[in-house]
Coordinates of all heavy atoms in Angstrom, one line a residue:
M1 N 50.5 91.2 182.2 CA 50.5 91.0 180.8 C 49.1 90.9 180.3 O 48.3 90.1 180.9 CB 51.3 89.7 180.5 CG 51.8 89.6 179.1 SD 52.9 88.1 178.9 CE 54.5 88.7 179.3
N2 N 48.8 91.5 179.3 CA 47.4 91.5 178.8 C 47.3 90.4 177.7 O 48.3 89.8 177.3 CB 46.9 92.9 178.2 CG 47.7 93.3 177.1 OD1 48.2 92.6 176.3 ND2 47.9 94.6 177.0
Y3 N 46.1 90.2 177.2 CA 45.8 89.1 176.3 C 46.6 89.3 175.0 O 47.1 88.3 174.3 CB 44.4 89.0 176.0 CG 43.5 88.5 177.2 CD1 42.2 89.0 177.3 CD2 44.0 87.6 178.1 CE1 41.5 88.5 178.4 CE2 43.2 87.2 179.1 CZ 42.0 87.6 179.3 OH 41.2 87.2 180.3
D4 N 46.7 90.5 174.5 CA 47.4 90.8 173.3 C 48.9 90.4 173.4 O 49.4 89.8 172.4 CB 47.3 92.2 172.8 CG 45.9 92.6 172.3 OD1 45.3 91.7 171.6 OD2 45.3 93.7 172.6
E5 N 49.6 90.8 174.5 CA 51.0 90.4 174.7 C 51.1 88.9 174.8 O 52.1 88.4 174.2 CB 51.5 91.1 175.9 CG 51.5 92.6 175.8 CD 51.9 93.2 177.1 OE1 52.4 92.5 178.1 OE2 51.8 94.5 177.3
I6 N 50.3 88.3 175.5 CA 50.3 86.8 175.7 C 50.2 86.2 174.3 O 50.9 85.3 173.9 CB 49.3 86.4 176.7 CG1 49.7 86.9 178.1 CG2 49.2 84.8 176.6 CD1 48.6 86.6 179.1
A7 N 49.1 86.5 173.5 CA 48.9 85.9 172.3 C 50.0 86.2 171.3 O 50.4 85.3 170.5 CB 47.6 86.6 171.7
N8 N 50.6 87.3 171.3 CA 51.8 87.7 170.4 C 52.9 86.8 170.8 O 53.6 86.2 169.9 CB 52.1 89.1 170.6 CG 53.2 89.6 169.5 OD1 53.4 88.8 168.5 ND2 53.8 90.8 169.8
N9 N 53.3 86.6 172.0 CA 54.3 85.7 172.5 C 54.1 84.2 172.2 O 54.9 83.5 171.7 CB 54.6 85.9 174.0 CG 55.2 87.3 174.3 OD1 55.8 87.9 173.6 ND2 54.9 87.7 175.6
I10 N 52.8 83.8 172.4 CA 52.5 82.5 172.1 C 52.6 82.2 170.6 O 53.1 81.2 170.1 CB 51.0 82.1 172.6 CG1 51.0 82.0 174.1 CG2 50.5 80.7 172.0 CD1 49.6 81.9 174.7
S11 N 52.1 83.1 169.8 CA 52.2 82.9 168.3 C 53.8 82.8 167.8 O 54.0 81.9 167.0 CB 51.5 84.0 167.5 OG 52.1 85.2 167.9
K12 N 54.5 83.6 168.4 CA 56.0 83.5 168.1 C 56.5 82.1 168.6 O 57.4 81.5 167.9 CB 56.7 84.6 168.8 CG 56.5 85.9 168.2 CD 57.2 87.1 168.8 CE 56.9 88.4 168.3 NZ 57.5 89.5 169.1
D13 N 56.1 81.7 169.8 CA 56.6 80.4 170.3 C 56.1 79.3 169.3 O 56.8 78.3 169.1 CB 56.0 80.2 171.7 CG 56.6 81.1 172.8 OD1 57.7 81.7 172.5 OD2 56.1 81.1 173.9
M14 N 54.9 79.3 168.9 CA 54.3 78.3 168.1 C 55.1 78.2 166.7 O 55.3 77.1 166.2 CB 52.8 78.5 167.8 CG 51.9 78.3 169.0 SD 50.2 78.5 168.9 CE 49.8 77.1 167.8
L15 N 55.4 79.3 166.2 CA 56.1 79.4 164.9 C 57.5 78.9 165.0 O 58.1 78.3 164.1 CB 56.0 80.8 164.3 CG 54.8 81.3 163.9 CD1 54.8 82.8 163.5 CD2 54.2 80.5 162.7
A16 N 58.1 79.1 166.2 CA 59.5 78.6 166.5 C 59.6 77.2 166.9 O 60.6 76.6 166.9 CB 60.1 79.6 167.4
Y17 N 58.4 76.6 167.4 CA 58.4 75.3 168.0 C 58.7 74.2 166.9 O 58.1 74.2 165.8 CB 57.1 75.1 168.6 CG 57.0 73.8 169.5 CD1 57.4 74.0 170.8 CD2 56.5 72.6 169.0 CE1 57.3 72.8 171.6 CE2 56.5 71.5 169.8 CZ 56.8 71.6 171.1 OH 56.8 70.6 172.0
K18 N 59.7 73.4 167.2 CA 60.0 72.3 166.3 C 59.2 71.1 166.5 O 59.4 70.5 167.6 CB 61.5 72.0 166.4 CG 62.4 73.1 166.1 CD 62.2 73.6 164.6 CE 63.1 74.8 164.4 NZ 62.6 75.8 163.5
T19 N 58.1 70.9 165.8 CA 57.3 69.8 166.0 C 56.9 69.0 164.8 O 57.1 69.5 163.6 CB 55.9 70.3 166.6 OG1 55.1 69.2 166.9 CG2 55.3 71.3 165.6
C20 N 56.6 67.7 165.0 CA 56.1 67.0 163.9 C 54.9 66.1 164.2 O 54.3 65.5 163.3 CB 57.3 66.1 163.2 SG 57.9 65.0 164.6
D21 N 54.6 66.1 165.5 CA 53.5 65.2 165.9 C 52.3 65.9 166.4 O 51.2 65.4 166.3 CB 54.0 64.2 167.0 CG 55.1 63.2 166.5 OD1 55.0 63.0 165.3 OD2 55.8 62.8 167.2
E22 N 52.5 67.1 167.1 CA 51.3 67.7 167.8 C 50.3 68.4 166.8 O 50.8 68.8 165.7 CB 51.9 68.8 168.7 CG 52.6 68.3 169.9 CD 54.1 68.0 169.7 OE1 54.6 68.3 168.6 OE2 54.7 67.6 170.7
S23 N 49.1 68.4 167.1 CA 48.1 69.1 166.4 C 48.2 70.6 166.7 O 48.9 71.0 167.7 CB 46.8 68.6 166.7 OG 46.4 69.0 168.0
F24 N 47.6 71.5 166.0 CA 47.5 72.9 166.3 C 47.1 73.2 167.7 O 47.8 74.0 168.5 CB 46.7 73.6 165.3 CG 46.6 75.0 165.5 CD1 47.7 75.9 165.0 CD2 45.6 75.7 166.2 CE1 47.6 77.2 165.2 CE2 45.6 77.1 166.4 CZ 46.6 77.8 165.9
L25 N 46.0 72.6 168.1 CA 45.5 72.9 169.5 C 46.4 72.3 170.6 O 46.6 72.9 171.7 CB 44.1 72.3 169.7 CG 43.1 73.1 169.0 CD1 41.7 72.5 169.1 CD2 43.0 74.5 169.5
E26 N 47.1 71.2 170.3 CA 48.0 70.6 171.3 C 49.2 71.5 171.4 O 49.7 71.8 172.6 CB 48.4 69.1 170.9 CG 47.4 68.2 171.0 CD 47.8 66.8 170.3 OE1 48.7 66.8 169.4 OE2 47.1 65.8 170.6
L27 N 49.7 72.0 170.3 CA 50.8 73.0 170.4 C 50.4 74.2 171.1 O 51.2 74.8 171.8 CB 51.3 73.2 168.9 CG 52.4 74.2 168.8 CD1 53.7 73.7 169.5 CD2 52.8 74.3 167.3
Y28 N 49.3 74.8 170.8 CA 48.8 75.9 171.5 C 48.6 75.8 172.9 O 49.2 76.6 173.7 CB 47.4 76.3 170.9 CG 46.7 77.4 171.7 CD1 47.1 78.7 171.8 CD2 45.5 77.1 172.5 CE1 46.5 79.6 172.5 CE2 44.9 78.1 173.3 CZ 45.4 79.3 173.2 OH 44.8 80.4 174.0
K29 N 48.2 74.5 173.4 CA 48.1 74.4 174.9 C 49.5 74.2 175.5 O 49.7 74.7 176.6 CB 47.3 73.1 175.1 CG 45.8 73.4 174.8 CD 45.0 72.1 175.0 CE 43.6 72.3 174.7 NZ 42.8 71.2 174.7
I30 N 50.5 73.7 174.8 CA 51.8 73.5 175.2 C 52.4 75.0 175.5 O 53.1 75.2 176.5 CB 52.7 72.8 174.3 CG1 52.3 71.3 174.3 CG2 54.2 72.9 174.6 CD1 52.9 70.5 173.2
C31 N 52.3 75.8 174.5 CA 52.8 77.2 174.6 C 52.0 78.0 175.6 O 52.6 78.9 176.2 CB 52.8 77.8 173.2 SG 53.8 76.9 172.0
L32 N 50.8 77.8 175.8 CA 49.9 78.5 176.7 C 50.3 78.3 178.1 O 50.3 79.2 178.9 CB 48.4 78.3 176.5 CG 47.4 79.0 177.4 CD1 47.4 80.5 177.0 CD2 46.0 78.4 177.1
K33 N 50.6 77.0 178.4 CA 51.0 76.7 179.8 C 52.1 77.5 180.4 O 52.3 77.8 181.5 CB 51.4 75.2 179.9 CG 50.3 74.3 179.9 CD 50.8 72.8 180.0 CE 49.6 71.8 179.8 NZ 50.1 70.4 179.9
K34 N 53.0 77.9 179.4 CA 54.2 78.8 179.8 C 53.9 80.1 180.4 O 54.6 80.7 181.2 CB 55.0 79.0 178.5 CG 56.3 79.7 178.7 CD 57.0 79.8 177.3 CE 58.2 80.7 177.3 NZ 58.8 80.8 176.0
Y35 N 52.6 80.5 180.1 CA 52.1 81.9 180.5 C 51.2 81.8 181.7 O 50.6 82.8 182.1 CB 51.6 82.6 179.4 CG 52.7 82.9 178.3 CD1 52.9 82.0 177.3 CD2 53.6 83.9 178.5 CE1 53.8 82.3 176.4 CE2 54.7 84.1 177.6 CZ 54.7 83.3 176.5 OH 55.8 83.5 175.6
G36 N 50.8 80.7 182.2 CA 50.0 80.5 183.4 C 48.7 79.7 183.0 O 48.6 79.1 182.0
N37 N 47.8 79.7 184.1 CA 46.6 79.0 183.9 C 45.4 80.0 183.6 O 45.3 81.0 184.2 CB 46.2 78.2 185.2 CG 47.2 77.1 185.5 OD1 47.7 76.5 184.6 ND2 47.6 76.9 186.8
F38 N 44.5 79.6 182.7 CA 43.5 80.4 182.2 C 42.1 79.7 182.3 O 42.2 78.5 182.1 CB 43.8 81.0 180.9 CG 45.1 81.8 180.8 CD1 46.3 81.2 180.3 CD2 45.1 83.1 181.0 CE1 47.4 81.9 180.2 CE2 46.2 83.9 181.0 CZ 47.4 83.3 180.6
T39 N 41.1 80.4 182.3 CA 39.8 79.7 182.2 C 39.6 79.4 180.8 O 40.3 79.9 179.9 CB 38.7 80.8 182.7 OG1 38.7 81.8 181.8 CG2 38.9 81.2 184.1
S40 N 38.6 78.6 180.5 CA 38.3 78.3 179.1 C 38.0 79.5 178.3 O 38.3 79.5 177.0 CB 37.2 77.2 179.0 OG 36.1 77.6 179.5
R41 N 37.2 80.4 178.8 CA 36.8 81.6 178.2 C 38.1 82.4 177.8 O 38.3 83.0 176.7 CB 35.8 82.4 179.0 CG 35.4 83.6 178.2 CD 34.4 84.4 179.1 NE 33.8 85.5 178.3 CZ 32.8 86.1 178.6 NH1 32.1 85.8 179.7 NH2 32.3 87.1 177.9
E42 N 39.0 82.6 178.7 CA 40.2 83.3 178.5 C 41.1 82.6 177.4 O 41.7 83.2 176.5 CB 41.1 83.5 179.8 CG 40.5 84.4 180.8 CD 41.2 84.3 182.1 OE1 41.7 83.3 182.5 OE2 41.2 85.4 182.8
T43 N 41.1 81.3 177.5 CA 41.9 80.4 176.6 C 41.4 80.7 175.2 O 42.1 80.8 174.2 CB 41.7 79.0 176.9 OG1 42.3 78.8 178.3 CG2 42.5 78.1 176.0
N44 N 40.1 80.8 175.0 CA 39.4 80.9 173.6 C 39.8 82.4 173.1 O 40.0 82.5 172.0 CB 37.9 80.7 173.7 CG 37.6 79.2 173.8 OD1 38.4 78.4 173.6 ND2 36.4 78.9 174.4
K45 N 39.7 83.4 174.0 CA 40.1 84.8 173.6 C 41.5 84.8 173.2 O 41.8 85.4 172.1 CB 39.9 85.7 174.8 CG 38.5 86.1 175.1 CD 38.4 87.0 176.2 CE 36.9 87.4 176.6 NZ 36.9 88.4 177.7
I46 N 42.3 84.2 173.9 CA 43.8 84.2 173.4 C 44.0 83.4 172.2 O 44.8 83.8 171.4 CB 44.7 83.7 174.6 CG1 44.6 84.5 175.9 CG2 46.1 83.5 174.2 CD1 45.2 84.0 177.1
L47 N 43.3 82.3 172.0 CA 43.4 81.5 170.8 C 43.1 82.3 169.6 O 43.7 82.4 168.5 CB 42.7 80.2 170.9 CG 42.6 79.4 169.6 CD1 44.0 78.9 169.2 CD2 41.6 78.2 169.8
T48 N 42.0 83.1 169.7 CA 41.5 83.9 168.6 C 42.6 84.9 168.2 O 42.9 85.2 167.0 CB 40.3 84.7 168.9 OG1 39.3 83.7 169.3 CG2 39.7 85.5 167.8
K49 N 43.2 85.5 169.2 CA 44.3 86.5 169.0 C 45.6 85.8 168.4 O 46.3 86.4 167.6 CB 44.6 87.3 170.3 CG 43.5 88.2 170.7 CD 43.7 88.9 172.0 CE 42.5 89.7 172.4 NZ 42.2 90.9 171.7
V50 N 45.8 84.7 168.8 CA 47.1 83.9 168.4 C 46.9 83.7 166.8 O 47.8 83.9 166.0 CB 47.2 82.6 169.1 CG1 48.2 81.7 168.4 CG2 47.7 82.9 170.5
I51 N 45.7 83.2 166.4 CA 45.5 83.0 165.0 C 45.7 84.3 164.2 O 46.2 84.3 163.1 CB 44.1 82.3 164.8 CG1 44.1 80.9 165.4 CG2 43.8 82.3 163.3 CD1 42.7 80.4 165.5
H52 N 45.2 85.3 164.7 CA 45.3 86.7 164.1 C 46.8 87.1 164.0 O 47.2 87.5 162.9 CB 44.6 87.7 165.0 CG 44.6 89.2 164.5 ND1 44.1 89.6 163.4 CD2 45.4 90.2 165.0 CE1 44.4 90.9 163.2 NE2 45.2 91.2 164.2
Y53 N 47.5 86.9 165.1 CA 49.0 87.3 165.0 C 49.7 86.4 164.1 O 50.6 86.9 163.4 CB 49.6 87.3 166.4 CG 49.4 88.5 167.2 CD1 48.5 88.4 168.4 CD2 49.8 89.7 166.8 CE1 48.2 89.6 169.1 CE2 49.5 90.9 167.6 CZ 48.8 90.8 168.7 OH 48.5 91.9 169.4
I54 N 49.4 85.1 164.0 CA 50.1 84.3 163.1 C 49.9 84.7 161.6 O 50.8 84.7 160.9 CB 49.7 82.8 163.3 CG1 50.2 82.2 164.6 CG2 50.1 81.9 162.1 CD1 49.7 80.9 165.0
T55 N 48.7 85.2 161.4 CA 48.3 85.6 160.0 C 49.0 86.9 159.7 O 49.6 87.1 158.6 CB 46.8 85.9 159.9 OG1 46.2 84.6 160.2 CG2 46.4 86.3 158.5
I56 N 49.1 87.9 160.7 CA 49.8 89.1 160.5 C 51.3 88.9 160.3 O 51.8 89.7 159.5 CB 49.5 90.1 161.8 CG1 48.1 90.6 161.8 CG2 50.5 91.2 161.8 CD1 47.8 91.3 163.1
M57 N 51.9 87.9 160.9 CA 53.3 87.7 160.6 C 53.6 87.0 159.3 O 54.7 86.8 159.0 CB 53.8 86.8 161.8 CG 53.9 87.4 163.1 SD 54.7 86.3 164.3 CE 53.6 86.6 165.7
G58 N 52.5 86.7 158.6 CA 52.7 86.2 157.2 C 52.6 84.8 157.0 O 53.2 84.2 156.1
Y59 N 52.0 84.0 158.0 CA 51.9 82.6 157.9 C 50.4 82.1 157.8 O 49.5 82.8 158.3 CB 52.5 82.0 159.2 CG 54.0 82.1 159.3 CD1 54.5 83.2 159.8 CD2 54.8 81.1 158.8 CE1 55.9 83.3 159.9 CE2 56.2 81.2 158.8 CZ 56.8 82.4 159.3 OH 58.1 82.5 159.5
D60 N 50.3 81.0 157.1 CA 49.1 80.3 157.1 C 49.2 79.0 157.8 O 50.3 78.5 157.9 CB 48.6 80.0 155.7 CG 48.0 81.1 154.8 OD1 47.4 81.9 155.5 OD2 48.1 81.0 153.6
I61 N 48.1 78.6 158.4 CA 48.2 77.3 159.0 C 48.0 76.2 157.9 O 46.8 76.1 157.4 CB 47.1 77.1 160.1 CG1 47.2 78.2 161.1 CG2 47.1 75.7 160.8 CD1 46.0 78.4 162.1
E62 N 49.0 75.6 157.5 CA 49.0 74.7 156.4 C 48.4 73.4 156.8 O 47.6 72.8 155.9 CB 50.3 74.4 155.8 CG 50.4 73.7 154.6 CD 51.8 73.6 154.0 OE1 52.7 73.3 154.7 OE2 51.9 73.9 152.8
S63 N 48.6 72.9 158.0 CA 48.0 71.6 158.4 C 47.7 71.7 159.9 O 48.5 72.2 160.7 CB 49.0 70.5 158.1 OG 48.6 69.2 158.6
I64 N 46.5 71.1 160.2 CA 46.1 71.2 161.6 C 46.8 70.0 162.4 O 47.3 70.2 163.5 CB 44.6 71.1 161.8 CG1 43.9 72.3 161.2 CG2 44.2 71.0 163.2 CD1 44.2 73.6 161.7
K65 N 46.8 68.8 161.8 CA 47.4 67.6 162.5 C 48.1 66.9 161.5 O 47.5 66.3 160.5 CB 46.3 66.8 163.2 CG 47.0 65.7 163.9 CD 46.1 65.0 164.9 CE 46.8 63.8 165.6 NZ 47.3 64.2 166.8
P66 N 49.5 66.8 161.5 CA 50.3 67.5 162.4 C 50.4 69.0 162.1 O 50.2 69.4 160.9 CB 51.7 66.8 162.2 CG 51.6 66.3 160.8 CD 50.2 65.9 160.6
C67 N 50.7 69.8 163.0 CA 50.6 71.3 162.9 C 51.8 71.7 162.0 O 53.0 71.2 162.2 CB 50.7 72.0 164.2 SG 50.7 73.8 164.1
S68 N 51.5 72.5 160.9 CA 52.6 73.1 160.2 C 52.1 74.4 159.6 O 50.9 74.7 159.5 CB 53.0 72.2 159.0 OG 51.9 72.0 158.1
F69 N 53.1 75.3 159.4 CA 52.7 76.6 159.0 C 53.5 76.9 157.6 O 54.5 76.3 157.3 CB 53.3 77.7 160.0 CG 52.7 77.5 161.3 CD1 53.4 76.9 162.4 CD2 51.4 78.0 161.5 CE1 52.8 76.7 163.6 CE2 50.8 77.9 162.8 CZ 51.5 77.2 163.9
R70 N 52.9 77.7 156.8 CA 53.5 78.0 155.5 C 53.6 79.6 155.4 O 52.6 80.2 155.7 CB 52.6 77.5 154.4 CG 53.2 77.7 153.1 CD 52.4 77.1 151.9 NE 50.9 77.2 152.1 CZ 50.2 78.2 151.5 NH1 50.7 79.1 150.7 NH2 48.9 78.3 151.7
Y71 N 54.7 80.1 155.1 CA 55.0 81.5 155.0 C 54.4 82.0 153.6 O 54.8 81.3 152.6 CB 56.5 81.8 155.1 CG 56.8 83.3 155.1 CD1 56.5 84.0 156.2 CD2 57.4 84.0 154.1 CE1 56.8 85.4 156.3 CE2 57.7 85.3 154.2 CZ 57.4 86.0 155.3 OH 57.6 87.4 155.3
Y72 N 53.6 83.0 153.6 CA 53.0 83.4 152.3 C 53.4 84.8 151.9 O 53.2 85.2 150.7 CB 51.5 83.3 152.3 CG 50.8 84.3 153.3 CD1 50.5 85.5 152.9 CD2 50.4 83.8 154.5 CE1 49.7 86.4 153.6 CE2 49.8 84.7 155.3 CZ 49.4 86.0 154.9 OH 48.8 86.8 155.7
L73 N 54.1 85.6 152.7 CA 54.5 86.9 152.3 C 55.8 86.8 151.6 O 56.7 86.1 152.1 CB 54.5 87.8 153.5 CG 53.2 88.3 154.1 CD1 53.4 89.2 155.3 CD2 52.2 88.9 153.2
N74 N 56.1 87.6 150.6 CA 57.4 87.6 149.9 C 58.0 89.0 150.1 O 57.4 89.9 150.0 CB 57.2 87.4 148.5 CG 56.8 85.9 148.2 OD1 57.3 85.1 149.0 ND2 56.0 85.6 147.3

C-alpha cells in the first residue's frame, strides 16, 4: 500500500470516527496505527496527504481540539 492509499483510508477513518475529546493529531495517530508503524518523516508525509484528502472530500477542519469537521460542499 502506498502513501496515497494509506492517506485516503486514514482520512475516511477520521471523518467517520465518533469523537468528542481527541485533538486532530491524536485522532490522526489513532487512525495511523491501524496501518502500521512509520518513521516520523513518513508520518508527516502521510499527514500532509490526509489533510489534502479531507479537503478534496469537501470538509474543513473546524476545530483542532476537540477535533471536528464541517462539510462545505453543497
Side-chain angles (χ1 to χ4, degrees):
M1 199 177 273
N2 65 30
Y3 294 146
D4 287 322
E5 292 173 10
I6 293 170
N8 190 14
N9 291 335
I10 290 173
S11 61
K12 289 176 184 175
D13 291 347
M14 288 179 72
L15 291 171
Y17 194 84
K18 301 300 179 208
T19 182
C20 60
D21 295 333
E22 290 88 358
S23 70
F24 180 80
L25 287 177
E26 290 169 341
L27 179 57
Y28 169 69
K29 289 177 183 177
I30 290 169
C31 294
L32 181 65
K33 283 183 187 177
K34 183 177 170 183
Y35 298 96
N37 294 322
F38 300 95
T39 65
S40 64
R41 185 175 182 167
E42 291 172 324
T43 301
N44 290 337
K45 284 182 182 181
I46 296 169
L47 176 59
T48 303
K49 293 178 184 289
V50 165
I51 293 169
H52 174 74
Y53 280 113
I54 288 172
T55 304
I56 287 175
M57 288 185 226
Y59 289 87
D60 278 335
I61 302 167
E62 186 171 50
S63 175
I64 298 295
K65 183 163 179 97
C67 182
S68 67
F69 301 99
R70 181 174 44 97
Y71 189 70
Y72 68 85
L73 291 180
N74 291 324

